[in-house]
């Protein structure tokens, strides 16, 4: 059976990158600073840190450019700032090369303050740059008493049943008492559930699915919008639509709690809170708040809005003008006013969920009479915009699926109970355009029924929706298959960033499964700037930590983590791995400082239950190296031999997490804790070796995964490493040369092959097209990463529909290997945030060229190589104010030139040593062009 899905091998996919920020255009000075950010965001409208941190990138094309000093000015108005008066903070000239995580140290910042800032830097010759283009940030409502708004919602109590309820619409008209003019108007808004806010007929902001997902019993995020341009000097109206969202709708696994409700886990009905503050020219502050004077109806066009099931919309119920002044709301009821929840209100620290891009279908096919199946050409996440015509009352239905059945119909069995279905009842008023409001779907194919006419291809648009973290990675090479793999990894990440890192976007799950992001965290950072996203999610993890120290299996955790789904090896450990990954990539000490105690509690809990240091007790759901090749359903495939023993797997994570906790403490200068956890980690490693490793380096059960993890986590004594690596490679024999790893061991395997002299084996695996492999999935139409190696097998069909997503990122963690090995971009092991880094491309397989980049917090790092006969050319970009160690793969270090002259003599280049078939150089900032004789492949150890 051939799966009727089209292989889309995209052209140069490396172009799918949005610029982080254009460099500032400045006069004077050779250096400049650009991409000014406050708490990782560009001009954030709502910051609740009273000592926010500032970052910029030095821009200076000269070789060896470094920042030797900086000066920051912060003022409360732009004129002051332009005049050079930093009335809130003038840092003075600070002799420092630091350009990230600069802590604001000026006058106290109060609620609502909007401030402007600029920076100048001194270069390596002691020359100051011009001032940067100014940036700004605004403070949120810092005290509870700043909020005068009341929580409002439907006054009518919900029915006893658990049926979905029609989403309420709320409105309020108001006039401005002060006619002196509006200087600034700011709306502070949140909901329990989702909200879509409108003022005077206009949509406010571009956030969707706001205020996003937190544990609503602990923290509720609010958003801030500048609505100055939406208000009129006279009559105004605010209109709001509420949706159930994660708060009141169905969420993944809802219903797992014995006797628990299928929906409304946090609450049955959505609620709303808004405070609109208007600064008049006269200096007066006007305020409009949600309160008992607002009106509400549940008779609007959205009849059902459910995150998993989809939206039902009846256009005949639309009420034109409901969100503008002058609408007759006499049939609407007064809202109910409710007590404030006990949770704290916090600003949203990361980029909102948005419609990030739109894609057009590649085909539409009438699969049965009146049943049209659109193919978007890409497994994506979000929803469709559909334009249709018909008679009043016609119902058009859109069902979404990731793959097709052999007959071309959509395959929905793997969605489990998630309907992913949008229904529109037409008003009959000419061509009508629909888009859902309070749901999202994971799909490539859309089945449309109920149309009177055959739809044109352009009747439908795919709106791609996710947390809008900037994309910062580029990758392209001479293998179209590997380009497609990189593309699939990126699309799978897009599919799984909805306020939290999810497992999948389509079935009735979509939870913040911790084991998945543990494996994918570094790849995620290469693809997108995850700093703000992790800043948001790591507190979600802490919120779900149990009193005895257990981290949850997923965060947020709405099902009582003390009772279930917590304390699992490699899932709970994400509570240590991910903050550490964030620190390594972004140098965020504050994040570590706020998290350390929580991370220690996790280790202490494991230790207390496993005093002999082997994690044998309390592994709860104990998933192990998830979906390793023992779960493959292939004829002739071994039933066992892939999964390492679960206690060894758990102990390996215990050792590694403990070591990372020690490193966190060391970063913070907490020597006692660093020593204590460092010593404990060493003891756990000893226990691991004693229990699971033979003197001849055989690790119990002799699996690819066991060696990969033990090597990658540094568990083995130095003298056993090369033998263990050899054993790891020997393990391929039992699998006919194939990979057999699961979620957690796959990236370990790839990296340890390369590190231990088996780079060609790693290339063989990544280029493989036999089942199981990334290439097999691509050859069978994958445009995202499959949950299972054998999600679909020719001749056999789909895997068990109970668990068979086609957009799970865990084995896409190989993306990290692609950046590190093919492009060669690596962090320095001792210096965070790419202030110093390593460029070490390790060409292999039959690749003849590769190029790509990573826009780090310090600037854009780029690497490009081409082999041509016996020569390799290597172009490298090292951002200003950073330095790099470069490994030029060559068999003849004397042959290396840069810019046509011997490399060691080139400006900004210092020869260090020859190592493992590479000439090693220290590079200052700049752009370089190296040429060398190619390395012959190093002999296998
Ligand atoms: C999810 C996984 C998750 C796992 C726990 C699954 O249903 O989709 O990705 O990590 O459960 O084993």
């Amino acid at each position: 059976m051939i799966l009727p899905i089209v292989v889309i091998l995209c052209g140069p996919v490396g172009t799918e990158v949005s610029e982080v920020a254009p460099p500032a255009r400045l006069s004077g000075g050779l250096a400049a600073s650009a991409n000014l950010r406050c708490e990782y965001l560009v001009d954030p409208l709502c910051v609740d840190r009273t000592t926010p941190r500032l970052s910029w990138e030095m821009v200076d094309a000269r070789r060896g450019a470094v920042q030797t000093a900086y000066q920051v000015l912060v003022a409360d108005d732009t004129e002051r700032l332009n005049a050079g008066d930093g009335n809130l903070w003038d840092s003075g000239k600070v002799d420092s090369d630091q350009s990230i995580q600069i802590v604001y140290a000026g006058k106290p910042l109060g609620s609502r303050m909007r401030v402007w800032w600029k920076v100048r830097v001194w270069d390596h010759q002691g020359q100051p740059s011009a001032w940067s283009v100014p940036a700004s940030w605004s403070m949120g409502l810092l005290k509870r008493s700043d909020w005068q708004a009341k929580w409002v919602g439907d006054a009518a109590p919900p029915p006893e049943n658990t049926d979905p309820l029609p989403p309420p619409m709320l409105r309020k008209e108001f006039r401005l008492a002060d006619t002196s003019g509006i200087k600034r108007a700011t709306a502070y808004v949140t909901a329990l559930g989702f909200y879509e806010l409108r003022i005077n007929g206009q949509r406010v902001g571009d956030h969707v699915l706001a205020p996003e997902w937190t544990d609503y019993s602990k923290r509720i995020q609010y958003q801030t919008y500048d609505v100055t341009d939406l208000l009129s000097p006279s009559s105004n109206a605010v209109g709001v639509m509420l949706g159930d969202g994660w708060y009141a709708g169905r969420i993944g696994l809802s219903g797992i709690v014995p006797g628990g409700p299928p929906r409304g886990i946090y609450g049955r009905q959505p609620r709303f809170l808004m405070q609109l503050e208007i600064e008049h020219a006269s200096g007066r502050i006007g305020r409009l708040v949600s309160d008992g004077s607002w009106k509400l109806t549940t008779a609007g066009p959205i009849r059902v809005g459910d995150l998993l099931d989809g939206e039902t919309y009846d256009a005949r119920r639309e009420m034109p003008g409901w969100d503008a002044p002058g609408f007759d709301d006499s049939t609407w009821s007064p809202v109910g006013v409710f007590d404030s929840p006990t949770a704290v209100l916090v600003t949203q620290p990361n980029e909102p969920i948005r419609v990030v891009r739109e894609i057009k279908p590649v085909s539409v096919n009438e699969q049965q009479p009146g049943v049209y199946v659109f193919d978007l050409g890409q497994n994506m996440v979000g929803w469709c915009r559909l334009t249709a015509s018909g008679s009043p009352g016609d119902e058009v239905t859109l069902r979404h699926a990731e793959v097709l059945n052999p007959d071309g119909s959509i395959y929905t069995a793997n969605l489990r109970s998630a309907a992913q279905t949008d229904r529109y009842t037409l008003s009959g008023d000419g061509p009508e355009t629909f888009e859902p409001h309070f749901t999202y779907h994971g799909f490539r194919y859309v089945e449309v029924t109920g149309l009177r006419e055959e739809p044109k291809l352009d009747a439908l648009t795919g709106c791609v929706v996710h947390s809008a973290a900037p994309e910062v990675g580029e990758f392209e090479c001479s293998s179209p298959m590997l380009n497609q793999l990189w593309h699939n990894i990126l699309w799978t990440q897009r599919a799984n960033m909805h306020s939290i890192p999810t497992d999948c976007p389509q079935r009735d799950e979509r939870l913040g499964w911790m084991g998945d992001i543990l494996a994918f965290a570094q790849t995620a950072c290469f693809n997108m700037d995850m700093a703000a996203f992790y800043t948001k999610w790591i507190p979600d993890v802490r919120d779900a930590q149990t009193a005895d120290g257990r981290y949850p299996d997923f965060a947020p955790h709405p099902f009582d983590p003390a009772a279930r789904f917590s304390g699992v090896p490699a899932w709970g450990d994400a509570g240590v791995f991910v903050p550490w990954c964030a620190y390594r990539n972004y140098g965020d000490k504050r994040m570590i400082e706020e998290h350390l105690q929580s991370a220690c509690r996790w280790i202490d809990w494991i230790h207390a239950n496993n005093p002999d240091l082997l994690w044998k007790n309390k592994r709860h759901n104990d998933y192990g190296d998830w979906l390793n090749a023992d779960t493959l359903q292939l004829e002739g495939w071994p039933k066992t031999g892939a999964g390492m023993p679960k206690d060894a797997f758990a102990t390996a994570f215990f050792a590694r997490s403990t070591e990372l906790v020690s490193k966190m403490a060391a970063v913070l200068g907490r020597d006692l804790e660093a020593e204590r956890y460092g010593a404990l980690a060493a003891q756990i490693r000893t226990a691991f070796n004693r229990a699971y490793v033979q003197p001849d380096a055989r690790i119990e059960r002799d699996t690819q995964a066991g060696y990969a993890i033990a090597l990658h986590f540094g568990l083995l004594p130095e003298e056993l490493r090369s033998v263990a690596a050899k054993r790891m490679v020997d393990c391929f024999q039992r699998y006919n040369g194939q990979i057999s790893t699961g979620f957690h061991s796959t990236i370990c395997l790839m990296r340890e092959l390369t590190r231990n002299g088996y780079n060609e084996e790693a290339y063989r695996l990544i280029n493989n097209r036999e089942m199981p492999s990334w290439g097999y999935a691509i050859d069978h139409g994958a445009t995202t990463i499959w949950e299972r190696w054998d999600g679909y097998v020719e001749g056999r069909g789909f895997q068990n529909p109970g668990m068979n997503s086609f957009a799970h990122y865990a084995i896409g963690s190989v993306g990290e290997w692609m950046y590190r090995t093919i492009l060669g971009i690596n962090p320095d092991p001792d210096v965070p945030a790419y202030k110093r880094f390593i460029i070490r491309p390790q060409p292999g397989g039959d690749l003849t060229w590769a190029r790509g980049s990573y826009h780090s917090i310090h600037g854009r790092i780029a690497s490009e190589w081409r082999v041509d006969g016996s020569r390799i050319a290597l172009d490298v970009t090292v951002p200003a104010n950073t330095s790099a160690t470069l490994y030029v793969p060559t068999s003849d270090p004397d042959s290396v030139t840069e810019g046509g002259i011997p490399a060691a003599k080139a400006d900004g280049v210092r020869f260090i040593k020859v190592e493992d078939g590479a000439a090693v150089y220290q590079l200052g900032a700049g752009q370089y062009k190296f040429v060398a004789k190619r390395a012959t492949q190093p002999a296998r150890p």
Side-chain angles (χ1 to χ4, degrees), residues 100 153 158 170 189 192 196 374 389 402 448 490 494 519 538 585 630 657 689 717 728 774 850 856 927-928:
I100 64 165
L170 287 71
V189 190
L192 292 168
E196 197 181 293
F374 285 83
S389 300
E402 294 186 285
V448 183
L490 178 61
R494 291 173 181 156
I538 289 165
N585 282 275
D630 288 344
S657 283
N689 280 280
M728 176 170 76
W774 295 280
S856 77
Q927 295 192 342
Y928 299 88

Side-chain angles (χ1 to χ4, degrees), residues 503-504 507 509 513 516 571 623 626 743 787 803 808:
D503 56 337
C504 57
R507 68 175 177 232
E509 196 140 6
W513 280 102
D516 305 42
W571 272 255
Y623 310 113
W626 191 241
F743 272 25
E787 177 175 25
M803 217 183 69
H808 251 66

Side-chain angles (χ1 to χ4, degrees), residues 535-833:
T535 301
K536 186 273 169 188
W537 183 68
I538 289 165
D540 293 339
V541 173
R542 283 200 295 275
D543 281 351
Q545 189 171 21
T546 61
D548 61 8
R550 268 172 291 159
Y551 278 132
D553 300 4
F554 40 78
H557 189 320
F559 312 116
D560 184 6
R564 55 187 70 80
F565 288 107
S566 57
V568 174
W571 272 255
D573 290 292
V576 179
F577 277 59
V578 179
W580 180 250
C581 173
Y583 169 73
R584 296 279 304 125
N585 282 275
Y586 310 113
D588 192 334
K589 278 195 191 173
R590 184 180 282 177
M591 180 186 286
I592 297 296
E593 199 160 355
E594 291 173 350
H595 195 71
L596 180 66
Q597 199 203 359
S598 156
C600 291
R601 289 175 52 224
W602 165 246
I603 300 300
D604 295 349
W605 173 78
I606 306 170
H607 191 188
N609 287 291
N610 297 281
D612 69 355
L613 306 183
L614 301 178
W615 191 350
K616 292 193 162 172
N617 309 314
K618 301 234 177 181
R619 299 199 302 264
H620 296 90
N621 287 342
D622 205 15
Y623 310 113
D625 185 21
W626 191 241
L627 299 183
N628 64 64
D630 288 344
T631 62
L632 260 49
Q633 294 182 359
L634 298 177
E635 239 179 77
W637 186 264
K639 290 270 171 272
T640 58
M644 72 186 284
K646 284 189 172 175
D647 52 341
F649 175 83
T651 303
F653 276 88
F654 181 25
R656 180 67 178 151
S657 283
T658 307
E659 188 193 0
L660 295 183
V661 165
S662 161
K663 284 174 185 271
M664 285 182 192
V667 163
L668 300 173
R670 305 217 190 139
D671 297 345
L672 281 181
E673 279 141 306
E675 238 168 73
R676 195 175 122 219
Y677 287 97
L680 178 61
Q683 288 162 11
I684 303 167
R685 286 194 292 269
T686 305
F688 178 91
N689 280 280
R690 203 171 289 146
Y692 308 115
V693 186
Q694 305 290 322
D696 61 0
R698 186 185 190 278
I699 299 182
E700 198 173 319
R701 230 178 269 170
D702 203 28
T703 58
Q704 295 172 22
Y707 295 108
I709 287 178
L711 284 165
H712 200 56
F713 290 178
L715 305 182
L716 304 177
E718 193 52 43
E719 64 275 13
L720 293 191
R721 286 185 61 88
S722 62
V723 195
K726 168 85 170 52
R727 286 185 176 279
M728 176 170 76
V729 174
D730 289 346
C731 286
F732 289 123
Q733 284 166 15
R734 250 179 294 135
Y735 287 90
N736 232 348
Q738 302 288 79
I739 199 165
S740 71
T741 48
F743 272 25
H744 295 94
S745 55
T746 297
I747 181 59
C748 303
L749 175 76
M750 293 298 287
R751 290 204 54 207
E752 292 310 313
L753 286 172
T754 295
R755 197 194 331 234
N756 289 284
Y758 299 97
N759 197 38
E760 280 304 316
E761 286 291 304
Y763 272 97
R764 190 180 60 73
L765 294 178
I766 203 166
N767 284 322
N768 185 17
R769 307 184 98 122
E770 302 292 311
M771 166 63 58
S773 68
W774 295 280
Y776 184 91
I778 288 169
D779 287 344
H780 291 79
T783 57
T784 40
I785 301 293
W786 296 352
E787 177 175 25
R788 295 171 174 270
W789 290 115
D790 65 337
Y792 169 81
V793 177
E794 219 173 299
R796 186 210 66 188
F798 295 119
Q799 246 277 14
N800 178 353
M803 217 183 69
N804 197 24
S805 134
F806 292 94
H808 251 66
Y809 50 50
I811 56 172
S813 56
V814 71
E816 176 185 345
W817 182 89
M818 296 168 80
Y819 281 97
R820 286 179 183 268
T821 306
I822 301 180
L823 299 181
I825 299 174
N826 284 274
D828 183 285
D830 302 318
V831 181

